[in-house]
Amino acid sequence: MSQADTPRPMRILLGCDTFLPDVNGAARFAERLAAGLVGRGHDVHVVAPSKTHASAGSFVETIEGEPLTVHRWASWRWYPHDWLRFVMPWRARPQARKLLDRVRPDVIHIQSHVIIGRALAIEGRKRGICIVATNHVMPENVLDFTLLPERAKRVFVRWGWRGADRILKLASAVTTPTRRAADFLERNTHRRGVLPVSCGLRASDYEAVVGPRDEHKIVFVGRVTLEKEIDVILRAIPRLDHALNASFTIVGDGDQRKNLEKLAGELGIKDRVTFTGRVTDAELRAHLTGASVFVIASIAELQSIATMEAMASGLPIVAANAMALPHLVHEGENGFLFQPGNDRELADRLGQVLTFSPAEYEQMQRASLEAVKVHDIDRTLDTFEALYRGEKLSR
């Protein structure tokens, strides 16, 4: 390709209602996307909440080893949630206008349809800027933190999806991490042609030690919140054969930690359960490399980066048969699925993995390593670069 044919670098603005130091799938995706785009020569700017009631301004931050400009807007804590912060809606639009006039991006990629994403999409559309939207949010996932009665929750969900539809229609392309998540979005809005684009990861960042494990270590990685249904996993642990001497490590933190610690005591497994709290990336990778099997009981995953990280670490996966998890777990190949909430079936599935012969276990490890290849971050970056340039991609 000649120099004249080489696509020019773009100025890309990512609108993130959650971003570093938050620890969740949407934030992790935005970090990797931003760093990957910088690595390809683009000028990347990120808008995200500050950690105070005052705007922190615009600074160069190093994300995933790459320098990029982050604009931090004043935010307030949502106290029913253990870490969530939000920008006041009536402040977001004026700030978006000022920022867009100053940065003049070629494209705006919003990571949600709520406050920051909404403001940037509305003001960007007025200026004729290309809008790409990725949906990481289901209104249903927010219900545990609204303190609303049941009838009001149903109203909230309908209102949430209508709001999503109004913003997503401003985008030239709408993506979500998996085909099942895309179908779910199309069922709940008027959007059509939603593209499944994996959040992606670089498998070489993880260490996979292929071979049998002497210790039966079960691991979960993620936020310790209600929608992750970690209590189901805890209830499954006492059902395992005691001769297995299995242990369970919960890597992460959240508002349900005290409740789950109490439950572990009530179940008589406190000595076999470890809560790590927040860990570094290196510590997270070490927990995955040293485990025997990864388990996830969540029923609200639009993809699950943590599950992909476990696959890249060469782990068999036992997951709830819900939302996007069946896209990652191929029954009997790299793991097993269980009926959501069924701790008895979960225990049976875990027991199967933990009693595999060395050859069976290694076969499942290699299947995980093979299955995660399609989620390579470079494929994700290729796709978004094409969408930013206005190319039409097939589903």
Side-chain angles (χ1 to χ4, degrees), residues 311-338:
M311 292 165 64
S313 303
L315 289 183
I317 311 297
V318 178
N321 189 7
M323 281 304 293
L325 293 175
H327 286 277
L328 298 174
V329 181
H330 305 143
E331 181 73 16
E333 296 179 15
N334 72 318
F336 296 110
L337 298 167
F338 68 94

Side-chain angles (χ1 to χ4, degrees), residues 89-268:
W90 56 88
R91 290 188 173 188
R93 294 273 295 277
Q95 290 184 103
R97 287 193 288 269
K98 291 178 183 177
L99 184 65
L100 292 176
D101 289 342
R102 179 157 51 93
V103 174
R104 298 184 179 277
D106 298 305
V107 62
I108 298 169
H109 185 173
I110 63 172
Q111 304 302 307
S112 78
H113 56 266
V114 290
I115 301 170
I116 290 177
R118 179 178 182 275
L120 291 174
I122 291 172
E123 297 301 328
R125 181 64 178 268
K126 290 179 181 178
R127 290 160 173 74
I129 301 171
C130 172
I131 310 293
V132 172
T134 295
N135 183 62
H136 298 282
V137 179
M138 295 190 299
E140 291 86 344
N141 288 359
V142 185
L143 292 178
D144 293 330
F145 308 105
T146 61
L147 307 180
L148 294 173
E150 286 303 317
R151 181 174 295 182
K153 285 182 178 181
R154 291 193 291 271
V155 174
F156 175 86
V157 169
R158 290 196 298 271
W159 171 82
W161 282 118
R162 284 198 297 269
D165 199 32
R166 286 194 296 271
I167 300 305
L168 296 178
K169 74 178 182 182
L170 303 178
S172 61
V174 178
T175 78
T176 197
T178 63
R179 179 70 264 159
R180 183 171 291 195
D183 293 341
F184 188 78
L185 183 59
E186 290 183 352
R187 285 197 303 272
N188 285 281
T189 69
H190 293 99
R191 298 309 97 212
R192 298 295 179 266
V194 177
L195 294 169
V197 183
S198 175
C199 291
L201 84 169
R202 200 169 300 285
S204 59
D205 290 341
Y206 301 85
E207 183 181 1
V209 179
V210 177
R213 300 290 192 270
D214 294 330
E215 298 181 1
H216 295 145
K217 294 183 178 180
I218 302 165
V219 68
F220 162 82
V221 174
R223 290 178 292 114
V224 184
T225 53
L226 280 173
E227 73 268 18
K228 299 299 183 180
E229 301 213 355
I230 301 170
D231 62 300
V232 176
I233 308 173
L234 289 176
R235 296 180 193 282
I237 300 299
R239 296 185 181 278
L240 294 170
D241 185 345
H242 287 285
L244 292 173
N245 195 28
S247 63
F248 177 39
T249 300
I250 299 167
V251 181
D253 212 348
D255 62 284
Q256 291 299 302
R257 178 170 174 172
K258 288 184 178 180
N259 292 337
L260 293 171
E261 288 175 334
K262 180 182 178 183
L263 177 60
E266 293 171 350
L267 293 170

